[in-house]
Amino acid sequence: MANIGIDLGTTHSLVAAVFGGKARCLLDDDERALLPSVVHYNDQGEATSVGYDAIEETDGISFRSIKRYMGRSPKDIPDCLYDIDEKEERAFRFIAGSKSITAVEISATILKALSDRAEECFFAKPTGAVITVPAYFDDAQRQATKDAARVAGLELLRLLNEPTAAALAYGLQTGKNGIKVAVYDLGGGTFDISILELSDGVFQVRSTAGDTALGGDDFDRVLAEEFLRQCGQERPDNATFRRLLQVAEKAKRQLSDQESVQISFDGAECVISRTQFEALIGPVLERTGTACLQALGDAKYTTTDIDEVVLVGGSTRVPMVSRFVEKIFGSKPHTDLDPDRVVALGAAIQADLLSGKSEIEEDILLLDVLPLSLGVEVMGGVVERLIPRCSPIPASASQRFTTHVDGQTGMQIHVLQGERELVSDNRSLARFSLKGLPDLPAGIPRIEVSFVVDSNGMLSVRAREEFTNVEASIDVQPSYGIDDDEIEQMLEDAIDNASTDVEKRMLIEARIEAEQILRSLRKALEVDGHLISDSEREGLSEACGQLESILESDERKRISDMSHRLDEISAPFAQKRIERDLAIALEGRSADEVASHLGME
């Protein structure tokens, strides 16, 4: 049995495989490629149907658009349309009859249905699967997808970013080479924009941006809210609003071909024109435009550098989307490929390439990138970046750190994600401790911190003390994800606040340097103050007091200047200590021994 590729979508999912060197989507008994991402549960909390059958169920509860809840917590999505377990704060647990279930379990049911379809087609279980995820999925959302695959009994070969999968299918089907491509992927619940270069079988992602809580579902929601406004109705309960969203989705599809549509629901009705609908979804599309400009900037391209724009995702069938994309990039987007199927086809191609016996003739190399920077907290609450955003993955980096306190025997490693200078402005991914450090003066231990991001975009961190080889490590698996508004805000704030962030960092570093000078000098005065006169001691003490008095101010330059001045006026004292130590070390030695000690011939 061959490997398969799966597009686990918000509104629809697909499974594909390679036959005779060509990727094809697998069909159900009614020759349909799309499987609605809907799972129905009865009053006993049992999953009874998936896909089209689940849509037709009237009792119990059917879950839709569950991808938006993957790896997220209730605080990330306060406006949840389903009843949830209020006691659970770190992850969604939905109430289904007498049970509570997670987004991972629901997604696993969809994956199992797709795996079963493949098994029926090939009369054997799939060997392995490549599953696509939005490029902007964070560690928690990727981990949730991996967990869903495991629950479904699938051997996960790779998590593949959706725009990369689409570009792979596009590149092989069109045969184009040496071009720069923008993949605009607007699905039911997620949006990605990736800029790639296709050259001699190498598919290199230059940048990526997006929002994993933006898509066709938002079109449905604004349409439903407009219906309520026109009918003078208040927002109904969640169950009723979910039914209204289904009606709105149908109206949205009709408006792609009709100039107006009549919406009827629970005895009320109104007419909405395509012009009205496009005015409603305009703000949603503008958010995708912001991400497009961000991706172009990160790739250091302008719109004139882009040779092709590829539309991916069912929501790009809305006529206004194509016009909007053309307005941004200045050229008509490529529409020859089926936007619903292209991601699954790309996943199937990658799955076939990973089989070791690929039927595809071309030599292909995929080079993806990291969407956000990764780093650790250092002294003073600032971030030291180890892997910057848009770095090709797999990626690795390491850096050496040391202690700041004499006799420090432990260190906490705080892993962060984001673009700002201060820890408080970034997102915490994980913390772990390195214990058993040697009892040495500050600055002597050498702790190497290593980051490794695998081909799935998952991060692992290791810390090792070089003298003792004591080490600790962690696979970063947070229990809930990053709010995507926060991700966009991180990038925007990094641009808007770049100068102030750098100034804050420099102020913190100036304070740390001043504190270290004060601590060292006061300790030296306490031990060896007798080496200098009373007036010299008083002068140094007075200078220490002046520096200490301005430490909490925001006058960075003044703090730095005072630190340097203290360094200068304490230099004679430091010289006397060195001469004393040297005299003690060489006491009683011959001239030859002294010369040898000093490295002289």
Side-chain angles (χ1 to χ4, degrees):
M1 171 62 193
N3 294 332
I4 57 174
I6 292 178
D7 175 7
L8 180 61
T10 305
T11 54
H12 292 90
S13 297
L14 303 93
V15 58
V18 171
F19 302 88
K22 185 176 179 61
R24 305 174 190 275
C25 287
L26 307 183
L27 310 180
D28 65 10
D29 292 340
D30 295 315
E31 298 188 350
R32 297 172 297 197
L34 296 178
L35 175 75
S37 301
V38 183
V39 182
H40 178 265
Y41 287 79
N42 61 20
D43 292 335
Q44 288 72 50
E46 301 166 335
T48 59
S49 56
V50 183
Y52 293 101
D53 292 338
I55 293 175
E56 302 300 324
E57 298 279 4
T58 55
D59 61 345
I61 183 172
S62 293
F63 290 95
R64 301 166 177 265
S65 300
I66 211 65
K67 183 175 179 177
R68 282 193 165 185
Y69 300 96
M70 292 286 280
R72 310 296 289 278
S73 74
K75 75 173 185 178
D76 295 322
I77 310 177
D79 186 24
C80 178
L81 295 179
Y82 299 97
D83 294 333
I84 61 174
D85 184 349
E86 300 289 350
K87 297 177 182 178
E88 178 59 64
E89 296 181 352
R90 295 184 63 79
F92 277 101
R93 294 197 71 87
F94 304 101
I95 304 301
S98 58
K99 295 181 180 179
S100 65
I101 53 174
T102 66
V104 167
E105 295 170 273
I106 299 171
S107 293
T109 303
I110 298 169
L111 290 173
K112 182 66 167 61
L114 295 170
S115 177
D116 289 346
R117 179 185 295 185
E119 186 172 349
E120 289 177 8
C121 289
F122 293 105
F123 304 105
K125 288 180 66 67
T127 306
V130 169
I131 300 177
T132 60
V133 293
Y136 241 44
F137 253 22
D138 60 57
D139 284 328
Q141 292 165 308
R142 290 171 188 269
Q143 185 61 45
T145 306
K146 290 179 68 176
D147 291 342
R150 187 166 65 251
V151 172
L154 285 168
E155 177 66 31
L156 181 65
L157 303 173
R158 180 76 53 84
L159 292 178
L160 180 64
N161 289 343
E162 290 166 4
T164 309
L168 181 56
Y170 164 81
L172 290 186
Q173 290 195 21
T174 62
K176 293 186 176 181
N177 189 36
I179 61 172
K180 300 177 179 67
V181 178
V183 180
Y184 182 98
D185 183 357
L186 185 63
T190 62
F191 170 70
D192 278 316
I193 175 72
S194 289
I195 311 297
L196 303 95
E197 285 190 24
L198 281 56
S199 180
D200 297 325
V202 178
F203 292 72
Q204 184 168 9
V205 180
R206 289 298 186 184
S207 65
T208 189
D211 190 331
T212 57
L214 186 154
D217 285 356
D218 297 287
F219 295 172
D220 303 341
R221 186 180 288 260
V222 295
L223 199 54
E225 290 170 347
E226 176 64 13
F227 169 84
L228 294 173
R229 189 190 68 78
Q230 288 195 26
C231 295
Q233 297 183 7
E234 296 294 325
R235 166 77 176 262
D237 61 76
N238 284 340
T240 304
F241 192 62
R242 289 198 301 269
R243 289 194 295 111
L244 176 57
L245 286 174
Q246 293 179 51
V247 174
E249 181 187 7
K250 182 178 179 181
K252 173 187 69 177
R253 294 175 183 274
Q254 292 173 332
L255 283 168
S256 291
D257 302 311
Q258 302 171 200
E259 290 301 320
S260 65
V261 65
Q262 179 172 299
I263 301 178
S264 301
F265 182 75
D266 282 2
E269 61 183 36
C270 75
V271 175
I272 294 181
S273 67
R274 182 188 292 179
T275 301
Q276 288 175 302
F277 172 60
E278 291 183 346
L280 292 171
I281 67 174
V284 180
L285 287 179
E286 288 296 335
R287 289 167 62 190
T288 73
T290 301
C292 290
L293 296 178
Q294 175 68 53
L296 283 169
D298 286 343
K300 296 180 173 56
Y301 292 158
T302 65
T303 54
T304 57
D305 294 316
I306 303 302
D307 300 302
E308 290 273 12
V309 182
V310 179
L311 296 184
V312 178
S315 295
T316 60
R317 295 184 185 278
V318 174
M320 184 182 180
V321 174
S322 181
R323 298 200 309 271
F324 179 80
V325 173
E326 181 178 352
K327 179 182 176 182
I328 289 179
F329 289 95
S331 61
K332 284 186 176 294
H334 182 91
T335 56
D336 291 350
L337 299 179
D338 186 333
D340 287 319
R341 300 191 183 197
V342 64
V343 169
L345 295 175
I349 292 168
Q350 177 67 359
D352 186 67
L353 292 171
L354 293 174
S355 68
K357 48 184 178 181
S358 175
E359 300 177 13
I360 298 172
E361 296 180 0
E362 291 90 341
D363 291 328
I364 295 172
L365 175 64
L366 292 182
L367 298 174
D368 223 324
V369 297
L370 193 69
L372 285 171
S373 300
L374 296 167
V376 295
E377 179 178 356
V378 296
M379 189 72 172
V382 298
V383 180
E384 185 69 26
R385 292 190 187 89
L386 272 73
I387 306 181
R389 81 171 187 269
C390 292
S391 296
I393 58 172
S396 62
S398 63
Q399 192 164 325
R400 288 181 175 84
F401 300 91
T402 189
T403 55
H404 290 273
V405 179
D406 292 343
Q408 183 177 332
T409 58
M411 176 181 287
Q412 185 171 87
I413 312 297
H414 185 193
V415 184
L416 298 138
Q417 186 173 39
E419 307 308 318
R420 301 289 297 276
E421 295 290 337
L422 304 184
V423 168
S424 57
D425 295 325
N426 290 275
R427 186 59 183 261
S428 173
L429 291 183
R431 296 175 186 265
F432 69 102
S433 296
L434 178 64
K435 299 179 180 179
L437 301 181
D439 186 357
L440 294 171
I444 300 301
R446 291 288 180 268
I447 295 94
E448 182 181 59
V449 177
S450 303
F451 277 28
V452 176
V453 180
D454 66 17
S455 55
N456 294 317
M458 304 297 295
L459 170 66
S460 60
V461 182
R462 181 174 66 93
R464 181 177 65 88
E465 202 286 314
E466 295 182 348
F467 291 121
T468 60
N469 281 327
V470 171
E471 77 173 53
S473 62
I474 187 172
D475 290 327
V476 178
Q477 297 180 1
S479 59
Y480 57 86
I482 297 176
D483 185 299
D484 295 287
D485 287 337
E486 289 180 47
I487 290 180
E488 291 302 321
Q489 198 64 47
M490 286 178 192
L491 295 174
E492 291 172 12
D493 288 351
I495 296 170
D496 296 341
N497 301 291
S499 60
T500 56
D501 278 356
V502 171
E503 180 61 32
K504 286 178 183 177
R505 181 181 184 122
M506 291 173 68
L507 174 60
I508 290 171
E509 291 173 345
R511 285 172 175 167
I512 291 173
E513 181 184 11
E515 289 170 353
Q516 290 174 338
I517 291 172
L518 285 171
R519 185 165 54 248
S520 298
L521 182 54
R522 282 176 169 157
K523 185 175 181 180
L525 285 170
E526 182 180 339
V527 176
D528 293 326
H530 61 279
L531 296 177
I532 55 178
S533 66
D534 291 344
S535 61
E536 288 175 317
R537 281 199 304 274
E538 289 175 7
L540 288 175
S541 296
E542 182 181 346
C544 286
Q546 290 173 353
L547 177 55
E548 189 170 43
S549 68
I550 62 171
L551 270 182
E552 296 307 315
S553 73
D554 293 333
E555 300 178 76
R556 177 187 61 80
K557 189 175 185 309
R558 192 177 171 202
I559 293 172
S560 295
D561 290 345
M562 185 64 74
S563 297
H564 295 153
R565 177 172 174 270
L566 188 55
D567 251 347
E568 289 174 0
I569 65 176
S570 64
F573 176 41
Q575 183 64 32
K576 287 182 180 181
R577 297 183 74 210
I578 293 172
E579 291 171 354
R580 188 273 318 272
D581 291 343
L582 183 60
I584 293 174
L586 301 179
E587 188 174 6
R589 298 187 184 186
S590 67
D592 290 340
E593 289 175 322
V594 172
S596 175
H597 182 79
L598 296 176
M600 299 170 61
E601 294 296 333

